[in-house]
């Protein structure tokens, strides 16, 4: 056990975590240079394209230092605020963390919140100043930030470059020297912590675990504590670049188990594995149940695809435990699912994965948060869908979740960011200068305002420099009203949203305008109305399409015209008829693109 | 029934609405003609796979082909005859602007192999012509046609444009009336379209001229269809009308999916499966042919794309979209798809089925593109 080191990497998005991880694999000969493709650990296409890590992964490396052999388990973690839950799982399985900070960009909000998570789990932190080869690197200034944040010594910070490989040996040595070996009792009953799971179409669900106490042996009968289910440990092993079966995995090590599980819901991340013969008394502490923050309906564009969508969602859930869903019916869209997401990026990713991996074209409805509604009879209801809000006559009050938002930015953007947050009903609670030109702003604001277009706007006004993180606060009563959208006089429930009373009029006007832009003209006139209850607060009209014919269609026109009309047809495949109005997929997300 | 299209990429002045490829500088005319000659030689085997390689139609389009002199035309025909077998009854059309058709020019043309003229009249009103930046006068519009007829060229088509803001319904009716009075067997009437990157698009954007009024265009179209019917002109394609089946053979071939060879910059060719188009730049066209190379882009059409093109072109014609043809060439699945997508248009009376053919109703003709797109397969 004393030669095992379990560590994770904490880094802000784009600070070079994946590249540095690749270098570690290369320097420990876990992977040959020939097999090296950029960002080995990010094996989903989507991850490579977006340059971000969505799923966490684990990989084992061998390392020899001063004649002693070590086993290093790297647990890779996602770097986006939406996925802090997955980060927390990885962290709990480790004894140490590499804190990677970009030498040009400095410490970001995300880095800080994950760092606190790691410190809270008593992880040994190894600060690394990455990308020091960049011309814009400011190593001394950023070192100051790190020293101030961690209270560490300057010389403890390792200068590195994932690109050139500088500092990689120092990092490996520091992992061995500074990260403590896992503690645990090899003789105690088995306690293994599930920190992730993946779905394999041939083997079923593969759970990744870290053994806290005891040993797991191949063929043993094991029990998952939270679900109470028992399985045979058909195959266990360690996570090299590929899975390598073993006869046993010992205390402190990280491994995988295949036990013929088909249903994702049986593998609960955070659950404890023990043996049936000699079970442990309690599960391992320190895990939270995943809590969705953003809700939206997902519907098939073609109503016939409902069952296929259900199947796809089930498959998706197999390797994304943070996705929750339940069937729901919409008057406008028929049968679909109300899904809970960790955040907006998570929602986008799910939609994209459904399209790419399952070839499902879906409609995502206006996202919202989870509200509490109190009826006049004193009943408290959880409202995850604006349509479920009780009628105003029976409604006592509505509460919405608040968050503490933490924004770190260059000081020149402070004014613009403040107006943005105040416009989103934020209340400034604190303002701290981290350095002369970096400021940390704290706001309390409704989470519901974040789900709309907050990220994009923040990025735009800060020219991409502001970083943002949040922690949930309590629910607070708000004057929220349900804003309905009517197309051709028919309410489209999928476009309803709960909006603060003061913003409802301008919001209604903007969304009508946006919908007019996004819904193509059809052969009849389509009124678009925004309404609160029976009161219409805004109206736009889409004129009827009465003429759509090319004047000239000769030898030189045919190809161009065909391509144009094919594109039109492609667009139509992504439309959904509600009543007799054809609505493009994009229109349902219109509220996210209001200016 | 293979045809040859020759693009003459020069104009004396630019019409505001035009997005065809042309240059208003004539200095490259001579080098262009040498390049064209080379291109004809290089393409002489284009139709070798055809069962009959005999050329049935030749069409000089542009630009302004009437800028070519008799001698220049003669050289082109000489080269064409060297490389291709041209039917003795071939339809040979030349697009001409009224201002070029003086009596000397018409006399020359009458003595050439050209046997059909397409005259770009557009309107008989000065203010309309000015609005479009046409080079001719209303008087020339009439005299050009009469002059050609006097010299024995009877096979004439004239182009008219409707939907322009200066043209009200009465003026449009009068334009049609004047066209009928000229006793031409064929009329093409085009709804003004604002193409991107034209002077017109720019002027509309800058609010220097009024934008196209959809309602007005629809009214003009309705007037057009009615008047043509009264005069026994058949609307054999959305924008093309003729008497006594005097269809444009060359253009009809485009809509029937026949092969054609396009020569000159920006010209498109089609061999039944592949389409290619020459570079839309006079200088580059000339330079590459100086090195005996034709610069073009090419696409091979998939089965679906060929079906889509068949829908797009056939639906616009009096011959309609033949379900038998679809079945034979593309298979039963395509027929089923086509009929399924057509249902809504049958019930809206935009489309009708007659003798196993899909035909647009007058109402449906206004939304021909939308219907075609819906019948597409992707």
């Amino acid at each position: 056990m004393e030669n095992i080191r379990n560590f994770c990497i904490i880094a802000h998005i784009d600070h070079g975590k994946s590249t540095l991880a690749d270098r570690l694999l290369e320097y420990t000969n876990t992977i040959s240079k020939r097999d090296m493709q950029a960002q080995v650990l990010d094996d989903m296409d989507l991850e490579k394209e977006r340059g971000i890590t969505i799923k966490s992964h684990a990989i084992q490396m061998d390392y020899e230092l001063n004649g002693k052999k070590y086993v290093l388990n790297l647990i890779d973690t996602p770097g986006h605020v939406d996925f802090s839950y997955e980060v927390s799982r990885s962290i709990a399985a480790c004894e140490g963390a590499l804190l990677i900070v970009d030498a040009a960009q400095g410490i970001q909000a995300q880095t800080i919140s994950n760092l606190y998570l790691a410190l809270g789990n008593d992880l040994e932190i190894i600060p690394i100043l990455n990308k020091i080869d960049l011309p814009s690197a400011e190593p001394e200034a950023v070192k100051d930030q790190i020293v101030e944040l961690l209270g560490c010594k300057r010389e403890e910070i390792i200068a590195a470059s994932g690109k050139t490989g500088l500092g990689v040996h120092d990092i490996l040595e520091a992992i061995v020297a500074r990260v403590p070996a896992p503690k645990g009792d090899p003789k105690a009953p088995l306690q293994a912590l599930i920190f992730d799971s993946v779905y394999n179409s041939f083997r079923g669900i593969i759970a990744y675990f870290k053994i806290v106490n005891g040993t797991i042996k191949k063929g043993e009968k094991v029990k998952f504590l939270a679900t109470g289910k028992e399985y045979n440990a058909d195959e266990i092993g360690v996570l090299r670049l590929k899975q390598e079966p073993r006869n046993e995995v010992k205390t402190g090590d990280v491994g995988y188990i295949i036990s013929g599980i088909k249903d994702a819901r049986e593998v609960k991340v955070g659950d404890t594995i023990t043996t049936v013969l000699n079970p442990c008394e309690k599960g391992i502490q320190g895990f939270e149940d995943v809590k969705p923050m953003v809700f939206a309906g997902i519907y098939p564009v073609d109503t016939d695809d409902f069952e296929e969508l259900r199947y796809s969602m089930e498959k998706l859930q197999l390797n994304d435990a943070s996705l929750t869903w339940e069937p729901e019916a919409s008057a406008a869209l028929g049968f679909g699912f109300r899904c809970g997401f960790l955040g907006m990026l998570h929602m986008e990713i799910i939609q994209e994965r459904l399209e790419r991996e399952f070839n499902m074209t879906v409609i995502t409805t206006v996202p919202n948060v989870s509200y509490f509604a109190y009826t006049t009879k004193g009943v408290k209801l959880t409202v995850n869908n604006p349509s479920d809000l009780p009628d105003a006559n029976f409604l006592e009050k509505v509460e919405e979740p608040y968050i503490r938002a933490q924004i770190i930015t260059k000081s020149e953007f402070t004014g613009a960011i403040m107006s943005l947050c105040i416009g989103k009903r934020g209340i400034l609670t604190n303002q701290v200068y981290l350095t002369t030109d970096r400021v940390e702003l704290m706001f309390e604001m409704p989470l519901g305002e974040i789900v709309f277009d907050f990220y994009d706007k923040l990025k735009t006004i800060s020219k991409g420099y502001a970083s943002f993180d949040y922690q949930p606060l309590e629910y607070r009563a708000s004057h929220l009203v349900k804003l309905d959208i009517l197309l051709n006089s028919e309410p489209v429930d999928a476009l309803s949203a709960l909006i603060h009373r003061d913003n409802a009029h301008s919001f209604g006007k903007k969304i009508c305008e946006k919908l007019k832009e996004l819904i193509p003209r059809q052969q009849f006139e389509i009124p678009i109305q925004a309404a609160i209850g029976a009161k219409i607060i805004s109206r736009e009209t889409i004129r009827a399409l009465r003429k759509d014919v090319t004047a000239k269609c000769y030898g030189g026109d045919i190809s161009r015209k065909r391509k144009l009309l094919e594109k039109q047809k492609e667009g139509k495949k992504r439309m959904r008829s509600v009543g007799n109005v054809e609505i493009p997929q994009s229109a349902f997300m219109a509220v996210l693109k209001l200016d | 029934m293979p045809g040859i299209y020759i693009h003459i990429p020069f104009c004396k002045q630019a019409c505001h609405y035009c997005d065809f490829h042309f240059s208003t500088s004539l200095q490259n005319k001579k080098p262009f003609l040498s390049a064209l000659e080379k291109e004809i030689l290089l393409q002489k085997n284009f139709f070798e796979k055809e069962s009959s390689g005999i050329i049935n139609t030749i069409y000089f389009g542009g630009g302004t082909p009437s800028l070519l002199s008799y001698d220049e035309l003669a050289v082109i025909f000489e080269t064409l005859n060297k490389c291709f077998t041209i039917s003795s009854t071939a339809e040979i059309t030349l697009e001409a602007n009224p201002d070029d058709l003086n009596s000397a020019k018409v006399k020359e043309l009458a003595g050439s192999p050209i046997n059909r003229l397409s005259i770009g009249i557009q309107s008989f009103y000065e203010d309309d012509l000015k609005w479009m930046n046409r080079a001719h006068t209303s008087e020339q519009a009439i005299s050009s046609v009469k002059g050609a007829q006097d010299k024995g060229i009877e096979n004439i088509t004239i182009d008219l444009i409707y939907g322009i803001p200066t043209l009200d319904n009465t003026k449009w009716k009068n334009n049609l009336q004047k066209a009928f009075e000229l006793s031409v067997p064929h009329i093409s009437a085009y709804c003004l379209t604002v193409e991107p990157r034209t002077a017109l698009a720019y002027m509309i954007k800058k609010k220097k001229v009024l934008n196209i009024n959809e309602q007005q265009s629809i009214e003009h179209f309705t007037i057009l269809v009615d008047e043509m019917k009264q005069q026994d002109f058949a609307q054999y394609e959305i924008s093309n009308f003729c008497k006594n089946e005097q269809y444009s053979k060359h253009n009809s071939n485009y809509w029937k999916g026949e092969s054609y060879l396009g020569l000159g910059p920006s010209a498109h060719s089609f061999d039944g499966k592949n389409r290619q188009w020459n570079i839309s730049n006079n200088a580059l066209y000339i330079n590459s042919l100086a090195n005996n190379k034709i610069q073009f882009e090419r696409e091979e059409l998939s089965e679906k794309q060929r079906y889509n093109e068949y829908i797009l072109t056939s639906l616009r014609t009096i011959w309609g979209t033949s379900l038998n043809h679809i079945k034979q060439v593309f298979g039963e699945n395509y027929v089923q798809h086509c009929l399924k997508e057509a249902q809504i248009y049958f019930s809206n009376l935009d489309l009708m089925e007659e003798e196993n053919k899909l035909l647009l109703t007058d109402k449906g003709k206004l939304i021909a593109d939308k219907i075609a797109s819906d019948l597409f397969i992707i």
Side-chain angles (χ1 to χ4, degrees):
Chain A
M1 199 171 20
E2 67 276 8
N3 60 352
I4 296 175
R5 297 291 181 274
N6 298 319
F7 69 100
C8 60
I9 301 181
I10 295 170
H12 188 70
I13 189 162
D14 285 342
H15 280 200
K17 181 191 64 180
S18 294
T19 316
L20 201 60
D22 290 350
R23 280 305 148 261
L24 295 177
L25 300 182
E26 206 182 302
Y27 278 59
T28 55
N29 296 318
T30 310
I31 181 167
S32 68
K33 232 187 173 131
R34 194 167 49 86
D35 294 339
M36 195 78 202
Q37 40 171 322
Q39 297 187 16
V40 170
L41 293 181
D42 298 343
D43 52 14
M44 274 194 282
D45 284 348
L46 202 57
E47 293 186 342
K48 288 216 171 90
E49 263 169 49
R50 294 193 176 216
I52 52 169
T53 311
I54 300 161
K55 282 287 301 168
S56 47
H57 305 261
I59 193 162
Q60 195 175 78
M61 297 168 261
D62 292 326
Y63 184 63
E64 206 177 308
L65 185 66
N66 304 329
K68 261 184 96 177
K69 287 184 174 169
Y70 294 90
V71 171
L72 313 183
N73 288 310
L74 162 62
I75 293 166
D76 197 25
T77 57
H80 189 274
V81 59
D82 281 4
F83 301 103
S84 48
Y85 172 66
E86 300 215 355
V87 178
S88 79
R89 294 182 296 176
S90 313
I91 282 171
C94 298
E95 285 78 41
L98 307 181
L99 172 70
I100 297 183
V101 182
D102 184 309
Q105 291 183 38
I107 288 172
Q108 304 288 321
Q110 186 66 50
T111 328
I112 295 178
S113 64
N114 286 340
L115 177 67
Y116 287 157
L117 210 62
L119 289 171
N121 279 274
D122 284 333
L123 265 53
E124 178 66 31
I125 310 292
I126 301 175
I128 293 164
L129 194 60
N130 195 22
K131 301 195 191 180
I132 60 155
D133 55 317
L134 282 185
S136 54
E138 294 179 74
E140 294 315 310
V142 178
K143 271 186 187 174
D144 287 342
Q145 292 176 16
I146 295 173
V147 168
E148 193 169 325
L149 186 70
L150 282 179
C152 65
K153 296 193 182 104
R154 273 184 101 78
E155 48 278 14
E156 285 172 359
I157 303 169
I158 302 172
S161 163
K163 211 168 104 195
T164 65
L166 178 86
V168 175
H169 282 298
D170 297 338
I171 294 170
L172 286 164
E173 282 179 27
I175 292 169
V176 170
R178 295 197 223 162
V179 175
K183 294 178 196 74
D185 182 355
K187 293 191 184 83
L190 173 67
Q191 266 187 319
L193 185 74
I194 300 176
F195 64 83
D196 200 0
S197 68
V198 294
Y199 177 81
N200 179 299
S201 46
F202 301 107
R203 317 288 315 262
I205 292 150
I206 305 171
Y208 294 170
F209 58 77
K210 182 220 180 171
I211 300 189
V212 178
N213 289 306
T215 304
I216 189 167
K217 292 192 179 71
K218 186 186 170 181
E220 246 177 342
K221 264 212 164 292
V222 293
K223 184 177 175 177
F224 288 16
L225 279 188
T227 61
K229 300 226 174 186
E230 295 179 4
Y231 310 94
N232 236 9
D234 296 339
E235 182 180 319
I236 56 167
V238 293
L239 299 152
R240 312 294 290 200
L241 195 60
K242 295 204 171 73
Q243 290 154 359
E244 276 182 19
R246 295 276 192 273
N247 284 325
E248 62 175 3
V249 181
K250 291 179 180 167
T251 319
D253 213 347
V254 171
Y256 71 91
I257 175 168
I258 298 172
S259 48
I261 302 173
K262 297 276 181 285
D263 187 343
R265 279 160 286 202
E266 292 178 27
V267 181
K268 232 180 141 185
V269 168
D271 201 349
T272 302
I273 307 173
T274 189
T275 57
V276 174
L277 278 179
N278 185 17
C280 59
E281 281 174 22
K282 277 201 309 190
I284 300 152
Q285 298 287 308
F287 274 88
E288 296 166 26
D289 244 336
V290 51
K291 244 187 8 222
M293 301 297 260
V294 174
F295 296 83
I298 287 190
Y299 290 81
V301 166
D302 186 341
T303 45
D304 293 345
D305 292 341
F306 173 74
E307 283 304 327
E308 213 182 316
L309 178 59
R310 177 201 291 275
Y311 171 81
S312 308
M313 300 281 291
E314 278 170 358
K315 278 285 162 67
L316 256 186
Q317 207 177 31
L318 297 181
N319 69 352
D320 189 346
S322 47
L323 170 70
T324 62
W325 50 270
E326 57 183 33
E328 75 168 1
S330 147
L333 298 176
F335 292 103
F337 301 97
R338 174 92 347 202
C339 303
F341 306 99
L342 300 177
M344 293 302 290
L345 180 69
H346 188 214
M347 180 170 102
E348 273 177 48
I349 285 168
I350 293 295
Q351 185 171 352
E352 248 181 272
R353 288 187 65 189
L354 281 170
E355 296 223 357
R356 288 190 195 202
E357 295 168 34
F358 300 94
N359 201 20
M360 291 292 313
T361 308
V362 295
I363 288 165
T364 311
T365 66
V366 179
N368 57 267
V369 298
S370 191
Y371 301 93
F372 292 143
Y374 294 83
T375 66
T376 42
K377 286 184 177 163
V379 181
K380 177 181 171 184
L381 302 166
T382 302
V383 177
N384 289 340
N385 181 344
S387 306
D388 297 340
L389 191 74
D391 193 274
N393 297 334
F394 305 105
L395 196 60
E396 177 71 32
K397 62 171 178 175
V398 181
E399 289 179 349
E400 62 177 333
Y402 266 66
I403 54 158
R404 175 178 292 116
Q406 177 190 29
I407 296 167
I408 297 181
T409 177
K410 277 193 171 173
S411 46
E412 58 185 290
F413 304 121
T414 311
I417 290 173
M418 280 202 196
S419 346
L420 171 69
C421 293
I422 290 162
K424 298 276 183 190
R425 298 190 279 139
I427 302 155
L428 181 70
T429 56
N430 201 1
Q431 182 178 6
V432 183
Y433 277 84
L434 300 174
T435 60
T436 45
D437 69 339
R438 287 174 66 76
V439 61
E440 181 190 50
L441 303 167
M442 302 286 261
F443 288 92
E444 289 181 7
M445 39 196 309
L447 178 63
E449 295 285 350
I450 306 292
V451 305
F452 285 160
D453 49 1
F454 183 76
Y455 284 122
D456 288 345
K457 281 195 172 149
L458 181 66
K459 247 192 221 161
T460 311
I461 60 173
S462 67
K463 304 201 166 73
Y465 283 116
S467 66
F468 167 76
D469 194 27
Y470 64 81
Q471 293 85 39
L473 294 171
E474 69 286 346
Y475 274 68
R476 295 179 189 173
S478 284
H479 288 292
L480 296 173
V481 290
K482 183 164 147 251
L483 185 82
D484 293 318
I485 301 295
L486 293 84
L487 291 178
N488 214 8
S489 310
E490 293 290 327
V492 181
D493 53 2
L495 288 169
S496 294
L498 295 191
I499 304 292
H500 192 266
R501 196 175 53 191
D502 296 347
N503 299 337
H505 274 79
S506 70
F507 187 86
K509 187 170 182 297
K510 279 188 203 159
I511 191 164
C512 287
E513 286 167 359
K514 194 75 196 176
L515 286 169
K516 182 179 177 181
E517 201 181 293
L518 291 171
I519 298 175
R521 291 167 65 197
Q522 290 162 40
Q523 281 171 270
F524 45 88
E525 186 179 283
I526 306 166
I528 306 171
Q529 294 160 305
I532 298 169
K535 193 177 161 215
I536 304 291
I537 58 166
S538 185
R539 179 189 162 121
E540 293 283 336
T541 306
I542 301 173
R543 284 187 305 127
L545 173 79
R546 297 177 50 219
K547 184 176 165 298
D548 181 14
V549 54
T550 307
K552 294 193 176 189
C553 191
Y554 300 122
D557 309 307
I558 295 171
S559 185
R560 185 173 59 120
K561 198 70 206 174
R562 187 199 78 231
K563 285 170 190 157
L564 202 75
L565 296 185
E566 279 173 348
K567 214 171 145 192
Q568 211 169 298
K569 174 84 180 180
E570 183 74 52
K572 203 174 161 177
K573 269 178 133 180
R574 294 172 171 274
M575 288 197 214
R576 182 63 184 271
S577 295
V578 175
N580 52 356
V581 182
E582 283 177 342
I583 309 175
Q585 196 187 21
S586 59
F588 290 97
M589 297 288 274
V591 287
L592 302 179
K593 297 177 202 107
L594 303 179
D595 39 48
Chain B
M1 302 274 282
I4 292 177
Y5 174 82
I6 300 175
H7 191 80
I8 308 299
F10 301 102
C11 285
K12 281 193 280 194
Q13 73 182 53
C15 308
H16 286 334
Y17 54 84
C18 182
D19 75 332
F20 288 117
H21 169 68
F22 63 88
S23 162
T24 47
S25 155
L26 297 182
Q27 63 180 26
N28 270 334
K29 199 167 124 193
K30 281 266 169 313
F32 159 74
L33 288 165
S34 320
L36 178 66
E37 202 179 328
K38 273 195 178 169
E39 193 192 6
I40 297 171
L41 293 167
L42 287 168
Q43 292 282 31
K44 67 177 182 185
N45 293 324
F46 187 85
F47 294 112
E48 66 181 357
K49 282 179 202 143
E50 298 282 322
S51 51
S52 152
I54 298 170
I55 306 301
N56 281 293
T57 66
I58 299 174
Y59 195 102
F60 290 87
T64 314
S66 52
L67 290 175
L68 296 179
S69 71
Y70 180 83
D71 293 341
E72 287 165 339
L73 276 171
V75 173
I76 297 174
F77 279 112
E78 196 183 315
T79 318
L80 286 172
N81 278 313
K82 239 190 272 175
C83 300
F84 301 100
T85 315
I86 298 168
S87 161
S88 57
T89 57
E91 174 194 275
I92 304 177
T93 310
L94 180 107
E95 285 182 350
N97 277 348
D99 43 309
D100 290 328
L101 292 180
N102 54 41
S103 60
K105 183 81 186 178
V106 172
K107 200 174 161 190
E108 277 178 10
L109 290 173
S112 80
I114 307 285
N115 54 28
R116 187 171 180 267
L117 284 182
S118 169
I119 304 176
I121 285 176
Q122 320 310 354
S123 173
F124 294 99
Y125 287 96
E126 292 297 344
D127 57 336
D128 298 340
L129 294 171
K130 209 166 168 189
W131 191 90
M132 291 185 268
N133 201 36
R134 295 291 299 183
H136 65 276
T137 62
S138 62
E139 199 258 310
Q140 284 172 325
I142 293 173
S143 64
S144 60
V145 177
K146 288 190 169 158
Q149 288 165 333
D150 287 347
K151 294 285 181 304
I153 307 178
E154 296 289 344
N155 197 355
I156 293 174
T157 176
I158 61 174
D159 284 355
L160 296 175
I161 291 186
Y162 61 89
I164 63 174
T166 49
L167 186 75
D168 61 24
N169 289 357
T170 316
K171 279 171 75 188
W172 176 229
K173 279 182 196 162
N174 288 341
N175 267 345
L176 288 168
Q177 208 47 51
K178 282 181 182 155
F180 297 140
E181 283 164 13
L182 289 170
S183 309
V184 288
H186 190 287
I187 297 171
S188 299
Y190 300 111
C191 183
L192 179 70
T193 309
V194 185
E195 300 289 353
R197 292 181 297 276
T198 56
L200 180 59
Y202 177 80
M203 290 189 295
I204 288 173
K205 197 178 154 204
K206 292 280 163 197
K207 299 202 190 300
K208 289 186 177 164
V209 297
L210 284 175
N211 199 352
I212 312 297
N213 180 322
E214 188 182 76
Q215 177 58 28
Q216 183 194 337
S217 299
I218 292 169
E219 285 175 26
H220 286 185
F221 181 78
T222 313
I223 291 168
L224 171 71
V225 172
D226 288 350
E227 299 277 328
M228 287 288 180
K229 267 184 201 156
Q230 281 180 33
Q231 300 288 332
D232 291 326
F233 272 82
Q235 186 177 18
Y236 72 101
E237 196 260 357
I238 299 277
S239 306
N240 286 283
F241 302 82
C242 73
K243 273 192 158 168
N244 307 321
E245 304 190 352
Q246 296 191 61
Y247 313 118
S248 160
K249 288 184 201 158
H250 183 83
N251 289 338
S252 299
N253 279 349
Y254 291 135
W255 307 319
K256 291 175 178 171
E258 301 285 351
S259 304
Y260 50 91
L261 168 64
L263 300 162
S266 83
H268 285 55
S269 304
F270 182 59
D271 68 1
K273 210 169 175 193
N274 304 286
R275 180 170 287 103
Q276 63 189 53
W277 50 96
N278 289 348
I279 191 159
S280 293
N281 181 302
N282 290 359
L284 294 176
Y285 171 82
I286 292 164
N287 287 343
S288 72
L289 276 154
N291 299 316
N292 287 309
K293 275 209 177 81
I294 307 170
Q295 263 203 62
F296 60 84
E297 281 181 73
R298 184 189 179 93
E299 65 179 1
E300 187 183 331
L301 299 183
S302 67
E303 186 176 75
K304 284 178 184 172
Q305 288 168 332
R306 279 185 284 132
Y307 162 84
N308 291 347
E309 289 200 354
Y310 175 68
I311 295 287
L312 169 64
T313 51
S314 65
L315 201 57
R316 297 169 60 89
T317 69
I318 199 170
W319 306 289
T321 301
S322 158
L323 297 173
N324 290 338
H325 176 87
I326 294 178
K327 191 174 171 179
Q328 276 164 23
V329 178
F330 304 103
E332 183 59 29
N333 285 346
Y334 282 83
V335 176
Q336 290 313 318
H337 168 86
C338 184
L339 284 174
K340 185 178 151 232
E341 298 285 334
Q343 277 320 311
I344 175 93
Y345 296 109
F346 288 142
S347 47
N348 286 347
L349 302 180
D350 292 317
L351 202 56
M352 55 187 181
E353 193 185 335
E354 219 170 65
E355 293 168 358
N356 238 353
K357 283 188 207 108
L358 304 186
L359 295 165
L360 292 172
T361 61
D362 283 349
K363 180 162 122 25
K365 281 172 186 160
L366 279 166
I367 52 163
D369 286 8
K370 182 176 164 56
I371 299 175
S373 171
D374 281 354
L375 301 188
F376 273 16
I377 284 189
I378 44 169

